[in-house]
């Protein structure tokens, strides 16, 4: 019985070009928000002593906004290579949970496609994709498409920010004017709202919020995301078990 | 350590890329090797929204009325329209308007 059930489950998840296009297009509004921070990264990278070429290489290979901005603090003529590695690892540790959360799509398509898609997974494209998965959609191409969308915006913005920082400084010095400093929060509030099913979730969300706040005050970097996600997940598992 | 700046840069890029990809791929690598029990199932069901809660809540700390009202407006719009674009625009427009006109 069990293999048959798995076969049926497996046959439902696909990885199509249509799914990729769908993910790419739906992610464009989030890409625009990423674009602003990409410009900020490009500008700050040049100010920190990177060449525009180096900033571009970093955005093409590392492709992790928060980590890239964080390592600029450590950038110096003699690069602290080990510290750069550990900082990147710590800042990105949250992706472990996000990747695991995509299980229902990614274990049912060929591993090559899954692990290729994961290279492009960001907070934004993950949040959009997990919402899509949660609403019952079965096309894993969505994760790659939305990831490629963010990749395009981030890299184009790195180019614009690093190569034109001499005049961009004037106009983008204060993103608060357009409310863009708050855009990140707004996007994630909207995505979170889509997960609302009813009052039964309140205790789990409260535990996630309280744990995240506590970790936010105690630890540097992005550890609070991991602690909040784990606490909420465990609370949910204990309630439902 | 490495003397040449270009070599240092290359080493930094390679290690940062490895670190990032390890975190992106590692979650699937682990979870694809276990058959989820009902308890793991429930954990995976509740984790995504909990991550989003954890991302959002600390960014609201110390924010003023313009930001909090806009956060509420974004939530209500998302709830009733189910549209990310409309919710985002509502949030962005309300935060810039409130900052410029009301809570200056």
């Amino acid at each position: 019985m069990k293999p048959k059930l798995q076969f049926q489950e497996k046959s439902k998840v696909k990885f199509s070009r249509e799914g990729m296009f769908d993910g790419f297009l739906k992610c464009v509004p989030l890409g625009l928000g990423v674009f602003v921070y990409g410009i900020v990264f490009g500008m700050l990278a040049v100010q920190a002593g990177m060449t525009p070429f180096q900033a571009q290489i970093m955005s093409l290979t590392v492709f992790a906004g928060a980590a890239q901005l964080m390592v600029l603090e450590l950038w110096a003529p003699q690069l602290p290579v080990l510290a750069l590695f550990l900082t990147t690892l710590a800042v990105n540790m949250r992706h472990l949970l996000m990747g695991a959360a995509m299980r229902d799509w990614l274990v049912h398509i060929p591993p090559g496609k899954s692990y290729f898609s994961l290279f492009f997974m960001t907070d934004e494209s993950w949040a959009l994709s997990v919402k899509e998965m949660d609403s019952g959609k079965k096309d894993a191409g969505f994760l790659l498409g939305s990831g490629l969308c963010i990749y395009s915006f981030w890299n184009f913005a790195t180019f614009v920010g690093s190569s034109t920082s001499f005049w961009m400084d004037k106009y983008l010095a204060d993103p608060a004017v357009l409310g863009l400093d708050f855009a990140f929060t707004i996007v994630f509030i909207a995505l979170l709202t889509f997960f609302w099913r009813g009052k039964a979730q309140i205790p789990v969300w409260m535990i996630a919020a309280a744990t995240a706040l506590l970790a936010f005050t105690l630890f540097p970097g992005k550890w609070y995301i991991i602690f909040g996600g784990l606490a909420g997940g465990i609370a949910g598992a204990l309630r439902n078990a | 350590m490495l003397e040449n700046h270009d070599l240092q840069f290359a080493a930094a890029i390679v290690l940062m890329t490895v670190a990032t990809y390890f975190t992106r791929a590692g979650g699937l690598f682990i979870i694809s090797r276990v058959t989820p029990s009902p308890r793991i199932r429930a954990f995976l069901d509740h984790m995504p929204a909990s991550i989003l809660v954890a991302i959002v809540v600390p960014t609201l700390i110390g924010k003023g009325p313009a930001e909090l009202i806009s956060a509420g407006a974004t939530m209500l719009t998302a709830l009733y329209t189910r549209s990310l674009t409309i919710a985002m625009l509502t949030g962005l427009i309300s935060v810039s308007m409130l900052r410029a006109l009301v809570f200056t």
Side-chain angles (χ1 to χ4, degrees):
Chain A
M1 280 309 282
K2 214 175 180 187
K4 193 183 169 192
L5 195 73
Q6 278 188 340
F7 176 74
Q8 284 177 345
E9 199 187 351
K10 188 175 182 170
S11 62
K12 274 194 248 159
V13 178
K14 56 181 179 170
F15 184 92
S16 77
R17 194 173 285 245
E18 289 72 31
M20 280 177 60
F21 280 127
D22 191 32
F24 195 100
L25 288 179
K26 282 192 179 145
C27 208
V28 167
L30 283 72
L32 293 172
V34 167
F35 190 76
V36 174
Y37 283 95
I39 289 178
V40 171
F41 167 73
M43 283 166 41
L44 293 178
V46 172
Q47 282 168 24
M50 264 191 242
T51 64
F53 178 72
Q54 287 179 327
Q56 197 70 57
I57 293 288
M58 187 181 275
S59 286
L60 285 167
T61 56
V62 181
F63 180 49
Q68 285 179 242
L69 282 161
M70 206 79 89
V71 296
L72 292 181
E73 307 281 324
L74 304 169
W75 215 255
Q78 284 291 313
L79 290 177
V81 176
L82 185 65
L84 293 175
F85 172 69
L86 294 175
T87 303
T88 308
L89 197 60
V91 174
N92 286 323
M93 215 49 107
R94 66 190 190 282
H95 289 139
L96 280 174
L97 288 183
M98 296 180 180
M102 297 310 296
R103 184 190 184 283
D104 286 354
W105 274 359
L106 297 183
V107 298
H108 299 306
I109 60 172
K113 288 177 176 162
S114 295
Y115 286 108
F116 181 71
S117 301
L118 284 170
F119 179 85
F120 298 95
M121 184 180 73
T122 61
D123 290 1
E124 286 83 3
S125 64
W126 169 81
L128 196 63
S129 300
V130 82
K131 178 214 126 195
E132 193 81 357
M133 192 174 83
D134 187 69
S135 66
K137 301 279 173 55
K138 301 278 184 199
D139 197 329
F142 193 96
L143 179 68
L144 178 58
S146 55
L148 287 172
C149 177
I150 301 293
Y151 191 72
S152 311
F153 275 104
W154 179 251
N155 274 286
F156 184 50
T158 301
F159 169 72
V160 173
S162 63
S163 57
T164 60
S165 55
F166 53 95
W167 61 265
M168 272 303 203
D169 275 343
K170 276 200 183 98
Y171 300 98
L172 263 165
D174 189 11
V177 173
L178 292 170
L180 290 173
D181 58 315
F182 201 55
F184 179 84
T185 306
I186 286 171
V187 167
F188 284 91
I189 285 179
L191 288 168
L192 172 62
T193 307
F194 295 136
F195 279 87
W196 181 250
R197 298 269 179 284
K199 286 181 193 137
Q201 283 165 307
I202 292 177
V204 171
W205 289 20
M206 295 291 275
I207 288 169
T211 313
L213 278 177
L214 187 66
F216 183 72
T217 57
L218 291 179
F219 307 113
K222 298 263 178 185
W223 289 102
Y224 64 94
I225 299 177
I226 300 171
F227 280 102
L230 279 177
I234 291 168
L238 293 177
R239 276 168 55 92
N240 288 31
Chain B
M1 284 277 290
L2 300 166
E3 293 286 315
N4 183 307
H5 183 81
D6 286 341
L7 265 179
Q8 280 186 359
F9 178 76
I13 288 294
V14 169
L15 286 174
M16 287 176 69
T17 305
V18 168
T20 306
Y21 187 67
F22 165 80
T23 61
R24 285 186 172 143
L28 176 66
F29 187 83
I30 295 163
I31 204 73
S32 63
R33 270 154 188 77
V34 296
T35 314
S37 63
R39 197 163 270 206
I40 294 178
R41 206 52 273 168
F43 172 80
L44 289 174
D45 284 345
H46 284 93
M47 185 175 59
S50 301
I51 292 178
L52 294 173
V53 168
I55 288 175
V56 166
V57 172
T59 65
L60 292 173
I61 294 292
K63 289 291 189 299
E67 287 79 11
L68 296 180
I69 293 170
S70 306
T74 306
M75 233 179 254
L76 285 176
T77 319
L79 204 56
Y80 287 106
T81 65
R82 309 299 292 178
S83 158
L84 180 62
T85 313
I86 296 173
M88 264 184 77
L89 286 175
T90 305
L92 277 178
I93 292 169
S94 66
V95 78
S96 48
M97 299 276 272
L98 287 171
R99 276 176 181 172
L101 304 173
V102 188
F103 305 104
T104 46

